[in-house]
């Protein structure tokens, strides 16, 4: 049990841990999600963080999403920028945090999570692979192997593979633009080789998003 595998991996990175150093835990007491949110880490989750050197690369979270989706199966979709969905429900979240010249890639995958163990507002959107607890080590090993492939793949191959699993392509979406309350809407047109999301609004203007939250309408 740790507070957060990302926190442990960041401490290791600070001490000079090599690229590929992996931290795995069965439970977290203070799992971290994107945008300062908490990440619920009930029994049955695969909680994994990896030290990545030399550091930030725009496609990194999407490469990780692709690796997770390949483990989850053909129906899994990557929801830009950091989620993996199965039948519209979030089965995995990805958090990339900078640590000096390295970054830490954190992945939480609901392998054997009983959704009843999640707070109701989380459970409403969450999914689980519904595998037995005993499957977690095998899923972990498959994930590490898919990460090895996806982290080293040519960007154009990654973008093509993402296009086939893009949860947002052709869908109406809403996103925050600038200050709070200034939401825009449009239709997602795919992920750019830079990792940005293209969205076309009703007036035909193309917006290139580089982060933040995007909601399916
Ligand atoms: C999200 O908000 O969707 C990202 C969630 C990332 C959760 C994982 S669980 C393993 C690693 N350790 C953390 O504290 N967070 C990430």
């Amino acid at each position: 049990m740790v507070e957060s595998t990302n926190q442990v991996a960041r401490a290791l990175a600070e001490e000079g841990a090599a690229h590929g150093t992996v931290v795995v835990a069965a439970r977290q007491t203070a799992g971290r999600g994107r945008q300062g949110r908490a990440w619920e880490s009930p029994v049955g989750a695969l909680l994994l963080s990896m030290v990545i050197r030399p550091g930030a690369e725009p496609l990194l979270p999407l490469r990780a999403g692709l690796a997770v989706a390949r483990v989850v199966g053909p129906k899994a979709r990557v929801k830009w920028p950091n989620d993996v969905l199965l039948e519209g429900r979030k089965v995995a979240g990805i958090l990339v945090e900078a640590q000096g010249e390295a970054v830490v890639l954190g992945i939480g995958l609901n392998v054997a999570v009983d959704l009843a163990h999640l707070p109701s507002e989380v459970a409403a959107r969450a999914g689980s692979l519904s595998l037995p607890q005993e499957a977690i080590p095998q899923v972990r090993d498959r994930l590490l192997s898919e990460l090895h492939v996806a982290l080293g793949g040519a960007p154009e191959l990654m973008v093509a593979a993402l296009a086939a699993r893009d949860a947002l392509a052709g869908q109406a979406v809403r996103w925050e633009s600038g200050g709070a309350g200034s939401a825009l809407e449009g239709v997602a047109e795919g992920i750019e080789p830079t990792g940005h999301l293209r969205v076309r609004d009703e007036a035909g203007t193309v917006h290139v998003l580089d982060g933040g939250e995007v909601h399916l309408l």
Side-chain angles (χ1 to χ4, degrees), residues 2-8 23 25 28 30-41 45-50 82-84 90 92-97 104-109 213:
V2 296
E3 281 185 22
S4 154
T5 55
N6 262 35
Q7 182 210 30
V8 175
V23 178
Q28 295 181 131
R32 299 210 284 249
R34 294 182 66 226
Q35 311 212 323
R37 290 188 290 253
W39 178 257
E40 297 294 332
S41 312
L46 171 58
L47 308 162
L48 181 149
S49 298
M50 183 182 277
N82 292 65
D83 295 342
V84 179
K90 179 167 172 172
I94 293 161
L95 175 68
V96 176
E97 294 184 293
V104 166
L105 167 67
I107 300 173
L109 171 59
E213 298 283 295

Side-chain angles (χ1 to χ4, degrees), residues 17 42 44 46 55 63 66 72 78 86 90 114 126-127 153 167-169 173 178 180 200 206 208 211:
L46 171 58
R63 289 175 184 273
L66 185 61
V72 171
V78 177
L86 182 60
K90 179 167 172 172
D114 180 347
L168 299 180
V173 296
R200 189 179 296 270
V206 173
V208 179

Side-chain angles (χ1 to χ4, degrees), residues 53-67:
R53 294 188 188 275
E57 189 240 353
L59 275 180
L60 177 61
L62 293 161
R63 289 175 184 273
L66 185 61

Side-chain angles (χ1 to χ4, degrees), residues 79-172:
K79 177 174 174 281
W80 184 94
N82 292 65
D83 295 342
V84 179
L85 308 182
L86 182 60
E87 290 167 343
R89 303 180 78 89
K90 179 167 172 172
V91 290
I94 293 161
L95 175 68
V96 176
E97 294 184 293
Q99 179 61 54
E101 287 175 358
V103 294
V104 166
L105 167 67
I107 300 173
L109 171 59
N110 294 339
V111 175
V113 169
D114 180 347
L115 298 180
H117 292 158
L118 291 170
S120 55
E121 68 279 8
V122 177
R125 292 174 292 107
S128 172
L129 307 191
S130 301
L131 293 172
Q133 300 276 343
E134 299 72 42
I136 292 176
Q138 195 186 346
V139 173
R140 177 201 61 210
D141 291 349
R142 286 201 51 215
L143 178 57
L144 289 172
S145 145
E146 290 293 354
L147 278 171
H148 183 71
V149 174
L151 296 184
E156 57 277 16
L157 293 181
M158 295 298 101
V159 170
L162 283 162
R165 290 190 181 261
D166 186 343
L168 299 180
Q171 302 292 316

